């Protein structure tokens, strides 16, 4: 085994928008590759993401725009867990990720860390943000 990589499947053709949003929030983050569906690449709407790779604070992720509408989507049962170093960082990330999304656990002291919050972002991806 050489690598284990989180993989996100977007159903609303917003993989690229989500990658741009996520890489804008985290240091040491970038979109490293995008392969798009085109006229000669069947299977998806032209211009949408067939496969992309991006990093968040150096951690690699992959994603696609699904050309098939599935009966499932993202669920909080799987989430991206982020430990931060400062109160300013947790406040910033939580507020940005919560915009247009859904708060699952309010940002605060829940007894197991100084400050913690859990949200589904506007794309449906679940994030747990923690200040240990």
């Amino acid at each position: 085994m050489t690598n284990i990589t989180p993989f996100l499947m977007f159903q609303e053709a917003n993989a690229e928008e989500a990658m741009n949003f996520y890489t804008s929030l985290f240091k040491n983050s970038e979109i490293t590759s995008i392969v798009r569906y085109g006229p000669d690449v069947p299977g998806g709407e032209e211009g949408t993401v067939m496969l992309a790779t991006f990093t968040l604070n150096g951690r690699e992720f992959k994603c696609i725009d699904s050309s098939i509408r599935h009966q499932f989507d993202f669920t909080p049962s799987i989430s991206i867990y982020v430990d931060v170093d400062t109160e300013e960082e947790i406040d910033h990330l939580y507020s940005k990720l919560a915009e247009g999304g859904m708060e699952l656990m309010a940002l605060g002291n829940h007894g197991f860390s100084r400050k913690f919050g859990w949200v589904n972002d506007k794309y449906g991806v679940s994030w747990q943000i923690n200040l240990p």
Side-chain angles (χ1 to χ4, degrees):
M1 184 180 317
T2 59
N3 204 5
I4 297 175
T5 305
F7 189 93
L8 305 174
M9 181 184 69
F10 294 90
Q11 296 198 67
E12 303 296 327
N14 53 15
E16 186 169 8
E17 179 183 315
M19 285 188 297
N20 283 319
F21 176 61
Y22 300 149
T23 56
S24 75
L25 294 178
F26 295 93
K27 296 175 187 172
N28 189 29
S29 301
E30 65 179 333
I31 297 171
T32 54
S33 70
I34 300 177
V35 177
R36 299 178 191 285
Y37 289 105
D40 300 327
V41 182
E45 184 179 332
E46 186 173 345
T48 61
V49 175
M50 187 169 104
L51 179 63
T53 304
F54 63 103
T55 61
L56 299 180
N57 195 30
R59 167 80 59 192
E60 184 177 84
F61 288 75
K62 293 185 183 289
C63 69
I64 62 170
D65 282 320
S66 177
S67 59
I68 300 167
R69 186 69 179 150
H70 298 278
Q71 296 299 315
F72 54 85
D73 208 349
F74 296 115
T75 170
S77 296
I78 296 286
S79 59
I80 300 169
Y81 194 94
V82 180
D83 279 323
V84 300
D85 295 323
T86 67
E87 189 145 359
E88 295 77 26
E89 191 176 18
I90 195 170
D91 291 343
H92 174 74
L93 286 175
Y94 186 87
S95 69
K96 291 296 186 185
L97 290 166
E99 283 178 15
M102 180 184 356
E103 185 176 74
L104 301 176
M105 228 172 144
L107 191 59
N109 183 331
H110 298 283
F112 51 84
S113 71
R114 283 189 292 168
K115 202 169 192 179
F116 174 88
W118 194 346
V119 298
N120 282 351
D121 68 24
K122 60 186 169 186
Y123 307 105
V125 176
S126 187
W127 297 83
Q128 295 185 61
I129 312 297
N130 182 52
L131 178 62

